Amino acid sequence: MNEKISVITTVFNCQNYLAQSLQSIRIQTFQDFKHILVNDGSTDNTAGVIQKIAGDNPKLVIFNNQSNLGRVKSLNIALKMAKGKYVALHDADDISLPHRLEKQYKFLEENSDYVLVGSDIDVIDESEKIISQPVRPQKNLDAKFSLLFRCTFANPSIVFRKKILDENGIRYEENYEHSEDFKLISLLSQHGKVYNMQEKLVKYRKHNDNYSNRHFHTVNDESTSVAKENIERLGIHISIEQTNRLRKLISSRAAVSDHLFEDVRKIFQIIRKFQINNPSKKNNEVLR
């Protein structure tokens, strides 16, 4: 029988954190999983770390790219190899706490109308010191409203139903090379409910070599494109420039005074259309 969960990790030049990261999956309280690791042509000692661990870890399935193909192609290779009912993301420099898989598996088993579950995280530095503890929307409609503008889930905390990808032809898209997570989560959210557990199940390591840090401007540009698509899916036309302004305004990063009235009016238009499509008594993200 296939494993219940396929954990997927891609790695490129992460020799300093990889052993601890892989060990955090190995010692999970839930053990019905396979851990798929795609080494994307690493040029440091990552291969040596993998070789040292591999023989002693029967749950680890290793695939070596002959050259560096990039994160998106490597993720799709891992998805193709995944046979589990659920897929769990785990990054090569992060730490999953021991009960993570058990708690997220139980949630999805008990809530068949949910397609994805994430969790809160601790953001840590190179020495595991906690530097922030972001709070994310918990409930389905709160999270979906937030997804109109930004990726409201911590990517290395998510677990989702594999059959939703297979039945709808969903994969990581190469034209969103640096915001592939936001795009995938947005697509998944169209096929069922989503939830964010208000419990810190992952330690997300922030350092200078983080993928998002190295490609910050590209990440922002691509994320703005995803947000534009999400808003237009409501039936509301919006330019890429205004989408970028709304993202900054909502995150309190900036307000462009020349467009403030226009942008606030657009936000209320989006809220109204979202509420019509998704009636609820209270949406915490709308109120915020």
Side-chain angles (χ1 to χ4, degrees):
M1 290 182 64
N2 294 330
E3 66 273 11
K4 293 292 192 299
I5 300 177
S6 296
V7 182
I8 65 174
T9 299
T10 66
V11 57
F12 176 71
N13 291 354
C14 196
Q15 62 182 17
N16 294 330
Y17 309 115
L18 182 59
Q20 183 183 25
S21 177
L22 297 181
Q23 180 66 7
S24 76
I25 294 297
R26 183 175 183 177
I27 63 172
Q28 289 289 305
T29 55
F30 182 90
Q31 284 288 304
D32 193 353
F33 70 86
K34 288 288 186 183
H35 190 176
I36 300 166
L37 176 66
V38 178
N39 180 14
D40 188 22
S42 296
T43 56
D44 64 355
N45 191 43
T46 290
V49 174
I50 294 171
Q51 185 177 13
K52 184 177 179 180
I53 294 172
D56 190 39
N57 188 348
K59 292 188 176 295
L60 195 60
V61 180
I62 301 163
F63 186 92
N64 291 297
N65 292 341
Q66 296 304 305
S67 60
N68 179 241
L69 301 180
R71 178 172 168 83
V72 171
K73 288 183 178 179
S74 297
L75 283 167
N76 283 331
I77 288 170
L79 283 179
K80 188 174 181 179
M81 297 171 64
K83 305 300 180 185
K85 182 178 180 181
Y86 305 112
V87 174
L89 269 291
H90 177 79
D91 284 349
D93 48 4
D94 296 337
I95 300 168
S96 286
L97 299 185
H99 289 87
R100 178 199 165 187
L101 295 183
E102 178 183 350
K103 291 185 175 184
Q104 293 182 302
Y105 174 81
K106 181 179 179 182
F107 176 86
L108 289 172
E109 284 288 286
E110 293 177 352
N111 297 277
S112 60
D113 51 342
Y114 282 77
V115 297
L116 178 147
V117 61
S119 79
D120 281 349
I121 61 172
D122 284 328
V123 181
I124 61 174
D125 63 14
E126 293 94 332
S127 60
E128 289 188 53
K129 179 183 177 182
I130 296 175
I131 55 178
S132 68
Q133 295 177 307
V135 177
R136 300 174 185 274
Q138 178 185 18
K139 296 180 180 179
N140 173 52
L141 290 182
D142 293 353
K144 284 186 175 180
F145 180 78
S146 186
L147 278 171
L148 292 174
F149 304 99
R150 61 191 176 93
C151 189
T152 192
F153 288 88
N155 186 53
S157 79
I158 65 170
V159 180
F160 52 84
R161 296 183 188 275
K162 178 66 159 46
K163 75 171 185 177
I164 300 299
L165 269 66
D166 295 340
E167 291 175 353
N168 297 282
I170 298 173
R171 288 296 183 268
Y172 289 98
E173 297 187 13
E174 293 183 24
N175 54 327
Y176 294 98
E177 184 180 3
H178 303 296
S179 60
E180 76 292 333
D181 53 343
F182 187 14
K183 179 65 174 179
L184 185 88
I185 292 168
S186 295
L187 292 173
L188 279 167
S189 70
Q190 297 175 44
H191 298 283
K193 295 181 179 179
V194 296
Y195 189 80
N196 194 68
M197 302 182 79
Q198 301 290 283
E199 183 175 357
K200 296 172 181 65
L201 298 179
V202 173
K203 294 182 179 181
Y204 169 79
R205 196 185 302 270
K206 193 171 185 179
H207 52 89
N208 290 334
D209 291 330
N210 274 129
Y211 194 76
S212 56
N213 285 342
R214 288 186 285 116
H215 303 281
F216 174 79
H217 294 293
T218 307
V219 170
N220 183 67
D221 291 345
E222 291 182 1
S223 295
T224 300
S225 294
V226 176
K228 180 179 185 295
E229 292 174 2
N230 291 346
I231 293 169
E232 291 193 328
R233 200 172 289 116
L234 285 175
I236 295 174
H237 175 72
I238 188 170
S239 68
I240 196 73
E241 293 79 15
Q242 187 172 30
T243 305
N244 190 43
R245 294 198 307 268
L246 294 194
R247 278 163 49 82
K248 290 180 179 179
L249 181 59
I250 285 177
S251 65
S252 302
R253 282 185 286 159
V256 181
S257 57
D258 291 346
H259 297 277
L260 187 56
F261 179 79
E262 171 190 352
D263 291 344
V264 170
R265 184 168 67 176
K266 181 65 75 170
I267 289 173
F268 276 98
Q269 182 186 2
I270 292 168
I271 289 173
R272 182 173 183 273
K273 191 61 179 291
F274 182 86
Q275 292 293 81
I276 290 172
N277 292 352
N278 304 280
S280 62
K281 292 182 179 179
K282 181 179 178 182
N283 186 306
N284 291 321
E285 287 300 292
V286 168
L287 292 174
R288 187 180 69 82

